[in-house]
Amino acid sequence: MKIVTQADRNFLPALKKASLRGRTTGAAVEKTVRTILQTVERGGDKAVFRYTAQFDKVILKPDTVRVTQEEIKNAYYHIRKDEGDALRLAAERVTAFHERQRSKTWMYQDGDATLGQVIGPVDAVGVYVPGGKAVYPSSVLMCAIPAKVAGVSRIVMVTPPQKEGINPYLLVAADIAGVTEIYRVGGVQAVAALAYGTETIGKVDKIVGPGNIYVATAKRLLYGTVGIDMVAGPSELLVVADEEAKPAHVAADLLCEAEHDEDAQVFLVTTSERLAKDVSKLIEAQLKGLQRAKIAAKSIAQHAVAFVVPTMGEAIAVANEIAPEHLTLSVDNPFDYLEQIRHAGALFLGRYTPPSVADYIAGPNHVLPTGGTARFFSPLSVNDYVKVSNIVHYTKQALAKVKDPLIRLAQIEGFDAHAKSAQSRFS
């Protein structure tokens, strides 16, 4: 892990690189994605199946693309009881947390006028679940359960097909979370099918869930045709640590995030150069024996940086500049710094809050803004699955009180019909 102190000449360049780390899409990627989107929009099922055969080497047909209830039932026989119990416990905790986010329709009286908002769920949501390097039943829970809590009636899951069948953990998690339809389709063609609809896969109102750069680009290009949660990039973690932090804990937390993929980015900001050096050594030691050691090692070698600063105030300033997906405060009295943190997808406070507890069992959502977008995006929540309509009701008496300024403002903007629509109520 690269270590830079505030006195080093390359401190500011390293900080700038970290803060501008957001993944950019190359022209070649975007061109490929646009082609697939247009082809699926025109070709429907045939295009989806053709791309699936090309990219995933799996042959699909209209009667085989949807996962059957029998397959879901059989998935329970392929996992252990304690694994099913763990998924159910996680689901219960995710549900309990997200139920606290629910909002209700509200109204108030403003004299003779009634104002408010109607809050209700979208009709249908598509949940994209990645395949590839790892299996993520936890992401199924995190994406589908808030939709269920919000009251979404149709929750559609898509995931890349496997020759041996969809991973049973994904099917069990989907069943527990309340997913109503599952299709063995992945990649850009799956996102396009959800957005446009095909003969077999009905279109949805919103698409959520992480994916690779092609999936993320597809979601970005389809925004407006369909709603999206966010454009997610590689996983990230920043640890702010004081002199008393345990190097073994910090190293383990950094590796926890680095093992996601080679592009994962992890950072340490500390007031102790000794701690930074100890953590760097322990990372090398802890890498040995990890199942995903090669992936984590490449992530650390390419992206990991430890920033050494004189004070905790400056450490918090660096963290805010980077605006990480996950931010750990391994410090004494972490709640003292809570209001100083302006940009982070999730905060892990104290020395005994490993990132993994939030990834799986705590309850808050782990689908979080990356690439510095924590400056303006929020974690996935129940709010992502509802829409709001404003309520306006005026009596004749209430309209009379505001008629003159209303007409004056309409005239200022040159909209005579606006003025006359109000005036007509008194003719």
Side-chain angles (χ1 to χ4, degrees), residues 120-141:
V122 300
D123 290 338
V125 166
V127 175
Y128 188 92
V129 179
K133 296 176 182 177
V135 177
Y136 298 105
S138 59
S139 289
V140 176
L141 302 180

PDB file of all heavy atoms in Angstrom, residues 120-141:
ATOM      1  N   GLY A 120     -47.016   6.827  -3.006  1.00  0.00           N
ATOM      2  CA  GLY A 120     -47.366   5.440  -3.297  1.00  0.00           C
ATOM      3  C   GLY A 120     -46.278   4.744  -4.086  1.00  0.00           C
ATOM      4  O   GLY A 120     -45.396   5.398  -4.667  1.00  0.00           O
ATOM      5  N   PRO A 121     -46.290   3.415  -4.114  1.00  0.00           N
ATOM      6  CA  PRO A 121     -45.226   2.656  -4.784  1.00  0.00           C
ATOM      7  C   PRO A 121     -45.329   2.715  -6.296  1.00  0.00           C
ATOM      8  O   PRO A 121     -46.404   2.929  -6.859  1.00  0.00           O
ATOM      9  CB  PRO A 121     -45.470   1.230  -4.286  1.00  0.00           C
ATOM     10  CG  PRO A 121     -46.944   1.173  -4.039  1.00  0.00           C
ATOM     11  CD  PRO A 121     -47.310   2.537  -3.519  1.00  0.00           C
ATOM     12  N   VAL A 122     -44.197   2.518  -6.969  1.00  0.00           N
ATOM     13  CA  VAL A 122     -44.219   2.301  -8.405  1.00  0.00           C
ATOM     14  C   VAL A 122     -44.841   0.924  -8.648  1.00  0.00           C
ATOM     15  O   VAL A 122     -44.929   0.092  -7.746  1.00  0.00           O
ATOM     16  CB  VAL A 122     -42.805   2.374  -9.022  1.00  0.00           C
ATOM     17  CG1 VAL A 122     -42.188   3.743  -8.777  1.00  0.00           C
ATOM     18  CG2 VAL A 122     -41.887   1.294  -8.453  1.00  0.00           C
ATOM     19  N   ASP A 123     -45.271   0.669  -9.872  1.00  0.00           N
ATOM     20  CA  ASP A 123     -45.958  -0.592 -10.159  1.00  0.00           C
ATOM     21  C   ASP A 123     -45.008  -1.779 -10.240  1.00  0.00           C
ATOM     22  O   ASP A 123     -45.337  -2.881  -9.771  1.00  0.00           O
ATOM     23  CB  ASP A 123     -46.728  -0.482 -11.482  1.00  0.00           C
ATOM     24  CG  ASP A 123     -47.927   0.449 -11.381  1.00  0.00           C
ATOM     25  OD1 ASP A 123     -48.411   0.670 -10.253  1.00  0.00           O
ATOM     26  OD2 ASP A 123     -48.364   0.965 -12.428  1.00  0.00           O
ATOM     27  N   ALA A 124     -43.845  -1.572 -10.872  1.00  0.00           N
ATOM     28  CA  ALA A 124     -42.946  -2.709 -11.130  1.00  0.00           C
ATOM     29  C   ALA A 124     -41.496  -2.274 -11.039  1.00  0.00           C
ATOM     30  O   ALA A 124     -41.120  -1.197 -11.521  1.00  0.00           O
ATOM     31  CB  ALA A 124     -43.227  -3.306 -12.507  1.00  0.00           C
ATOM     32  N   VAL A 125     -40.674  -3.126 -10.436  1.00  0.00           N
ATOM     33  CA  VAL A 125     -39.253  -2.860 -10.254  1.00  0.00           C
ATOM     34  C   VAL A 125     -38.446  -4.031 -10.808  1.00  0.00           C
ATOM     35  O   VAL A 125     -38.814  -5.200 -10.616  1.00  0.00           O
ATOM     36  CB  VAL A 125     -38.916  -2.661  -8.757  1.00  0.00           C
ATOM     37  CG1 VAL A 125     -37.414  -2.717  -8.516  1.00  0.00           C
ATOM     38  CG2 VAL A 125     -39.469  -1.335  -8.264  1.00  0.00           C
ATOM     39  N   GLY A 126     -37.342  -3.715 -11.486  1.00  0.00           N
ATOM     40  CA  GLY A 126     -36.405  -4.735 -11.939  1.00  0.00           C
ATOM     41  C   GLY A 126     -35.166  -4.731 -11.069  1.00  0.00           C
ATOM     42  O   GLY A 126     -34.582  -3.673 -10.821  1.00  0.00           O
ATOM     43  N   VAL A 127     -34.780  -5.889 -10.575  1.00  0.00           N
ATOM     44  CA  VAL A 127     -33.595  -6.040  -9.729  1.00  0.00           C
ATOM     45  C   VAL A 127     -32.524  -6.766 -10.524  1.00  0.00           C
ATOM     46  O   VAL A 127     -32.713  -7.926 -10.906  1.00  0.00           O
ATOM     47  CB  VAL A 127     -33.920  -6.821  -8.441  1.00  0.00           C
ATOM     48  CG1 VAL A 127     -32.649  -7.064  -7.628  1.00  0.00           C
ATOM     49  CG2 VAL A 127     -34.957  -6.078  -7.609  1.00  0.00           C
ATOM     50  N   TYR A 128     -31.411  -6.077 -10.786  1.00  0.00           N
ATOM     51  CA  TYR A 128     -30.307  -6.729 -11.493  1.00  0.00           C
ATOM     52  C   TYR A 128     -29.356  -7.326 -10.461  1.00  0.00           C
ATOM     53  O   TYR A 128     -28.880  -6.633  -9.559  1.00  0.00           O
ATOM     54  CB  TYR A 128     -29.543  -5.742 -12.384  1.00  0.00           C
ATOM     55  CG  TYR A 128     -28.522  -6.450 -13.252  1.00  0.00           C
ATOM     56  CD1 TYR A 128     -28.867  -6.877 -14.524  1.00  0.00           C
ATOM     57  CD2 TYR A 128     -27.239  -6.744 -12.780  1.00  0.00           C
ATOM     58  CE1 TYR A 128     -27.961  -7.572 -15.319  1.00  0.00           C
ATOM     59  CE2 TYR A 128     -26.336  -7.437 -13.557  1.00  0.00           C
ATOM     60  CZ  TYR A 128     -26.703  -7.846 -14.819  1.00  0.00           C
ATOM     61  OH  TYR A 128     -25.804  -8.543 -15.591  1.00  0.00           O
ATOM     62  N   VAL A 129     -29.078  -8.622 -10.608  1.00  0.00           N
ATOM     63  CA  VAL A 129     -28.168  -9.320  -9.695  1.00  0.00           C
ATOM     64  C   VAL A 129     -26.988  -9.845 -10.510  1.00  0.00           C
ATOM     65  O   VAL A 129     -27.176 -10.659 -11.418  1.00  0.00           O
ATOM     66  CB  VAL A 129     -28.879 -10.488  -8.987  1.00  0.00           C
ATOM     67  CG1 VAL A 129     -27.918 -11.217  -8.058  1.00  0.00           C
ATOM     68  CG2 VAL A 129     -30.087  -9.976  -8.204  1.00  0.00           C
ATOM     69  N   PRO A 130     -25.772  -9.383 -10.217  1.00  0.00           N
ATOM     70  CA  PRO A 130     -24.614  -9.794 -11.021  1.00  0.00           C
ATOM     71  C   PRO A 130     -24.321 -11.283 -10.909  1.00  0.00           C
ATOM     72  O   PRO A 130     -24.682 -11.944  -9.925  1.00  0.00           O
ATOM     73  CB  PRO A 130     -23.458  -8.985 -10.420  1.00  0.00           C
ATOM     74  CG  PRO A 130     -24.096  -7.903  -9.623  1.00  0.00           C
ATOM     75  CD  PRO A 130     -25.408  -8.447  -9.159  1.00  0.00           C
ATOM     76  N   GLY A 131     -23.642 -11.796 -11.919  1.00  0.00           N
ATOM     77  CA  GLY A 131     -23.062 -13.141 -11.863  1.00  0.00           C
ATOM     78  C   GLY A 131     -21.560 -12.965 -11.818  1.00  0.00           C
ATOM     79  O   GLY A 131     -21.054 -12.031 -11.211  1.00  0.00           O
ATOM     80  N   GLY A 132     -20.844 -13.837 -12.473  1.00  0.00           N
ATOM     81  CA  GLY A 132     -19.406 -13.619 -12.619  1.00  0.00           C
ATOM     82  C   GLY A 132     -18.586 -14.053 -11.433  1.00  0.00           C
ATOM     83  O   GLY A 132     -18.674 -15.182 -10.984  1.00  0.00           O
ATOM     84  N   LYS A 133     -17.797 -13.114 -10.860  1.00  0.00           N
ATOM     85  CA  LYS A 133     -16.746 -13.464  -9.916  1.00  0.00           C
ATOM     86  C   LYS A 133     -17.262 -13.867  -8.539  1.00  0.00           C
ATOM     87  O   LYS A 133     -16.518 -14.461  -7.760  1.00  0.00           O
ATOM     88  CB  LYS A 133     -15.787 -12.277  -9.767  1.00  0.00           C
ATOM     89  CG  LYS A 133     -15.048 -11.946 -11.061  1.00  0.00           C
ATOM     90  CD  LYS A 133     -14.195 -10.709 -10.901  1.00  0.00           C
ATOM     91  CE  LYS A 133     -13.500 -10.367 -12.204  1.00  0.00           C
ATOM     92  NZ  LYS A 133     -12.714  -9.110 -12.105  1.00  0.00           N
ATOM     93  N   ALA A 134     -18.482 -13.522  -8.204  1.00  0.00           N
ATOM     94  CA  ALA A 134     -18.999 -13.858  -6.876  1.00  0.00           C
ATOM     95  C   ALA A 134     -20.519 -13.980  -6.941  1.00  0.00           C
ATOM     96  O   ALA A 134     -21.148 -13.561  -7.905  1.00  0.00           O
ATOM     97  CB  ALA A 134     -18.596 -12.789  -5.857  1.00  0.00           C
ATOM     98  N   VAL A 135     -21.084 -14.553  -5.900  1.00  0.00           N
ATOM     99  CA  VAL A 135     -22.535 -14.706  -5.782  1.00  0.00           C
ATOM    100  C   VAL A 135     -23.005 -13.778  -4.668  1.00  0.00           C
ATOM    101  O   VAL A 135     -22.423 -13.761  -3.585  1.00  0.00           O
ATOM    102  CB  VAL A 135     -22.901 -16.168  -5.463  1.00  0.00           C
ATOM    103  CG1 VAL A 135     -24.404 -16.302  -5.277  1.00  0.00           C
ATOM    104  CG2 VAL A 135     -22.426 -17.084  -6.575  1.00  0.00           C
ATOM    105  N   TYR A 136     -24.077 -13.020  -4.921  1.00  0.00           N
ATOM    106  CA  TYR A 136     -24.488 -11.989  -3.985  1.00  0.00           C
ATOM    107  C   TYR A 136     -25.949 -12.141  -3.543  1.00  0.00           C
ATOM    108  O   TYR A 136     -26.805 -11.316  -3.891  1.00  0.00           O
ATOM    109  CB  TYR A 136     -24.299 -10.604  -4.607  1.00  0.00           C
ATOM    110  CG  TYR A 136     -22.871 -10.269  -4.949  1.00  0.00           C
ATOM    111  CD1 TYR A 136     -22.434 -10.279  -6.267  1.00  0.00           C
ATOM    112  CD2 TYR A 136     -21.958  -9.937  -3.955  1.00  0.00           C
ATOM    113  CE1 TYR A 136     -21.125  -9.954  -6.590  1.00  0.00           C
ATOM    114  CE2 TYR A 136     -20.642  -9.613  -4.255  1.00  0.00           C
ATOM    115  CZ  TYR A 136     -20.236  -9.624  -5.583  1.00  0.00           C
ATOM    116  OH  TYR A 136     -18.944  -9.308  -5.900  1.00  0.00           O
ATOM    117  N   PRO A 137     -26.277 -13.171  -2.764  1.00  0.00           N
ATOM    118  CA  PRO A 137     -27.642 -13.250  -2.242  1.00  0.00           C
ATOM    119  C   PRO A 137     -27.977 -12.068  -1.344  1.00  0.00           C
ATOM    120  O   PRO A 137     -29.150 -11.664  -1.251  1.00  0.00           O
ATOM    121  CB  PRO A 137     -27.657 -14.571  -1.473  1.00  0.00           C
ATOM    122  CG  PRO A 137     -26.224 -14.879  -1.191  1.00  0.00           C
ATOM    123  CD  PRO A 137     -25.452 -14.316  -2.330  1.00  0.00           C
ATOM    124  N   SER A 138     -26.971 -11.494  -0.684  1.00  0.00           N
ATOM    125  CA  SER A 138     -27.233 -10.334   0.168  1.00  0.00           C
ATOM    126  C   SER A 138     -27.745  -9.155  -0.650  1.00  0.00           C
ATOM    127  O   SER A 138     -28.597  -8.388  -0.190  1.00  0.00           O
ATOM    128  CB  SER A 138     -25.965  -9.934   0.928  1.00  0.00           C
ATOM    129  OG  SER A 138     -24.906  -9.623   0.032  1.00  0.00           O
ATOM    130  N   SER A 139     -27.245  -9.000  -1.878  1.00  0.00           N
ATOM    131  CA  SER A 139     -27.712  -7.901  -2.730  1.00  0.00           C
ATOM    132  C   SER A 139     -29.153  -8.122  -3.177  1.00  0.00           C
ATOM    133  O   SER A 139     -29.900  -7.159  -3.390  1.00  0.00           O
ATOM    134  CB  SER A 139     -26.806  -7.739  -3.944  1.00  0.00           C
ATOM    135  OG  SER A 139     -25.545  -7.221  -3.566  1.00  0.00           O
ATOM    136  N   VAL A 140     -29.547  -9.387  -3.323  1.00  0.00           N
ATOM    137  CA  VAL A 140     -30.948  -9.681  -3.634  1.00  0.00           C
ATOM    138  C   VAL A 140     -31.836  -9.154  -2.509  1.00  0.00           C
ATOM    139  O   VAL A 140     -32.852  -8.489  -2.749  1.00  0.00           O
ATOM    140  CB  VAL A 140     -31.163 -11.195  -3.832  1.00  0.00           C
ATOM    141  CG1 VAL A 140     -32.640 -11.497  -4.066  1.00  0.00           C
ATOM    142  CG2 VAL A 140     -30.320 -11.718  -4.985  1.00  0.00           C
ATOM    143  N   LEU A 141     -31.453  -9.447  -1.275  1.00  0.00           N
ATOM    144  CA  LEU A 141     -32.229  -8.971  -0.120  1.00  0.00           C
ATOM    145  C   LEU A 141     -32.257  -7.447  -0.079  1.00  0.00           C
ATOM    146  O   LEU A 141     -33.323  -6.839   0.145  1.00  0.00           O
ATOM    147  CB  LEU A 141     -31.626  -9.507   1.181  1.00  0.00           C
ATOM    148  CG  LEU A 141     -31.520 -11.026   1.343  1.00  0.00           C
ATOM    149  CD1 LEU A 141     -30.908 -11.356   2.697  1.00  0.00           C
ATOM    150  CD2 LEU A 141     -32.873 -11.700   1.194  1.00  0.00           C
TER     151      LEU A 141
END
